[in-house]
Amino acid sequence: MSHSIALIAFDGFQLLDLAGPAAVFGAANDRLGKEAYSIKYIAVEAPAVRSGCGLSIIASGLADVSPESIDSILISGGEDAGLHKLIANRSVRDWTIRAVKVASRYGSICSGSIALAAWGLIGDRRFASHWEAVPEIRKRWPDLNLDAESIFVNDGPLWTSAGVTTGIDMALAIVEADHGAGVARAVAQRLVLSVRRPGWQSQYSPALAAQGARDGRYSDLIGWIAAHLDQPLGVETLAEQAGESTRSFHRNFTAAVGATPARYVMTRRLDHARILIGQGLSLKQVAAGCGFADAAHLSVAFHKQFGMTASAFRLVHGRKSE
C-alpha cells in the first residue's frame, strides 16, 4: 500500500522545506517503480499557498483530507508571521493532533518544530530545529529536549530537521528506514547530492564560514583542502598553494578564518572521518582517506575532538548492512 505523507504549508512557508522532501519521495517512487509515497499538500489558505520566495503551490484544505488517512505528517517552517498564524489556528491544531495519534511518524522541517512545541506534540523526545528558531524555543519551552546542533533528529515516531536543505537529508533517512540504504543511495545520486549528510552533522559548517570570512581571500584554498584531505597539509604546503610566504600565510589565514591552518585542517579531517565511518569504512581506510598516519592516530584525535572513540562512534552511527 502507498504510504500517505501530509506536508503542511502556510502563507510564507519555506519552499525548500516542502520541495526538498517531496523531490526525495517522488524520486523514491520512480526508483521503486510504484507509488510507495502518496504526497498531500495541506493548508488553511488552500488552494493556492504562497511561499516566502513568491512561488505558490496548490494545496488541499483540511476538510478535504481525513487526518486518519495520513501515515506521516510533516510541518513546514517559514516566515514568523505565517507560522504563528498557523499555530493560532485551532482547526489546524486539532487536525494535526488527530493525525499524529494514528500516524506512524510525524515531525517538522525547520521552524515547524515551534508548532509541534506549541501544540504539545514533542513531550520528552529529542528534536531539531533551525538555528534561528533556537532562541524562541529555549525561551518559551526551556524544558524541551532541543538538539540545537544536529541537522536532523529521529526519536521514535518523531522526525525533525533543521530545515531548508536538511529536509532532504531527513527525507533520505526516512526512505532508507522504509526501503533500505540502496534505494536511499540511488535517490541521492539521482538528485546529484555530493554526499548524504548524517543527522548528527552540525548545522554550523566550518568550511562555509571559512569561505565567507573577511574578504573571501581563502575560499579557493578551502575547497582545495577539502579535495586533498588524504594528503599532507602542512602550513608550508598551504602557503605555497595560497601564493604567500609561510609566516604571512599563517598570520593572514588565522585572522581571516578564526583558526590556525593546522586547527582548521584537523577539524576538516575529523568531520570527514565521521562521514566515512558512517558510510561503513574500516578505521584503517578512514585514517588513510583523512590524512592520518594510522587508525591509532585517528582514534586519539577523534576522542579529543568529540569525546568518544572512533570505534564507539561506529557502533552508534555506522551503516548497517543492507
Side-chain angles (χ1 to χ4, degrees):
M1 294 179 62
S2 179
H3 186 96
S4 178
I5 299 179
L7 301 176
I8 296 185
F10 51 87
D11 276 340
F13 74 96
Q14 166 57 248
L15 184 63
L16 271 177
D17 283 355
L18 262 61
V24 170
F25 297 131
N29 287 343
D30 290 343
R31 175 66 181 180
L32 294 166
K34 61 180 180 179
E35 191 183 48
Y37 297 103
S38 172
I39 305 169
K40 303 179 186 298
Y41 303 96
I42 301 175
V44 177
E45 305 89 349
V49 188
R50 190 175 186 273
S51 70
C53 69
L55 291 175
S56 297
I57 65 170
I58 302 301
S60 300
L62 294 173
D64 298 323
V65 181
S66 167
E68 286 76 20
S69 69
I70 300 302
D71 299 307
S72 293
I73 178 171
L74 296 173
I75 302 173
S76 168
E79 297 176 354
D80 287 347
L83 176 61
H84 287 95
K85 182 178 178 182
L86 177 84
I87 292 171
N89 189 298
R90 182 170 297 182
S91 296
V92 180
R93 182 199 65 186
D94 293 346
W95 188 97
T96 303
I97 290 174
R98 285 176 59 190
V100 166
K101 289 180 179 179
V102 298
S104 58
R105 67 170 63 94
Y106 69 98
S108 61
I109 307 159
C110 197
S111 56
S113 59
I114 295 177
L116 294 178
W119 296 335
L121 294 174
I122 292 179
D124 59 359
R125 298 188 185 279
R126 188 166 64 93
F127 71 104
S129 191
H130 192 280
W131 60 268
E132 289 184 322
V134 168
E136 178 178 356
I137 293 172
R138 284 181 168 164
K139 180 179 180 179
R140 295 179 62 184
W141 303 283
D143 295 331
L144 291 183
N145 190 9
L146 172 64
D147 184 336
E149 287 290 324
S150 297
I151 63 171
F152 72 84
V153 172
N154 170 220
D155 189 344
L158 180 63
W159 291 74
T160 52
S161 88
V164 199
T165 61
T166 67
I168 295 174
D169 300 289
M170 184 175 76
L172 284 168
I174 289 173
V175 170
E176 179 170 352
D178 291 345
H179 301 286
V183 174
R185 184 164 57 251
V187 170
Q189 290 172 338
R190 179 168 185 178
L191 297 179
V192 199
L193 299 178
S194 59
V195 65
R196 283 187 58 197
R197 296 181 296 179
W200 44 257
Q201 184 166 320
S202 175
Q203 295 185 45
Y204 174 77
S205 168
L208 185 61
Q211 286 182 318
R214 294 290 179 88
D215 56 2
R217 64 188 296 179
Y218 294 118
S219 59
D220 290 342
L221 178 63
I222 296 304
W224 185 86
I225 289 172
H228 295 82
L229 290 174
D230 59 338
Q231 301 176 20
L233 295 175
V235 66
E236 295 83 3
T237 299
L238 299 180
E240 181 180 358
Q241 185 67 26
E244 301 178 27
S245 69
T246 300
R247 178 175 297 180
S248 294
F249 170 74
H250 189 282
R251 180 180 65 253
N252 294 336
F253 185 92
T254 302
V257 176
T260 65
R263 180 67 258 171
Y264 177 78
V265 169
M266 179 59 72
T267 298
R268 294 305 309 277
R269 291 193 196 280
L270 290 169
D271 282 345
H272 190 51
R274 291 197 298 181
I275 292 173
L276 296 183
I277 292 173
Q279 292 175 349
L281 274 66
S282 69
L283 295 188
K284 181 178 180 180
Q285 291 173 314
V286 173
C290 297
F292 292 96
D294 50 37
H297 183 204
L298 164 66
S299 295
V300 171
F302 197 96
H303 186 271
K304 182 177 180 180
Q305 178 81 354
F306 301 119
M308 66 187 306
T309 66
S311 297
F313 184 86
R314 174 192 296 284
L315 290 176
V316 176
H317 299 290
R319 174 172 292 172
K320 307 297 187 297
S321 59
E322 299 180 26

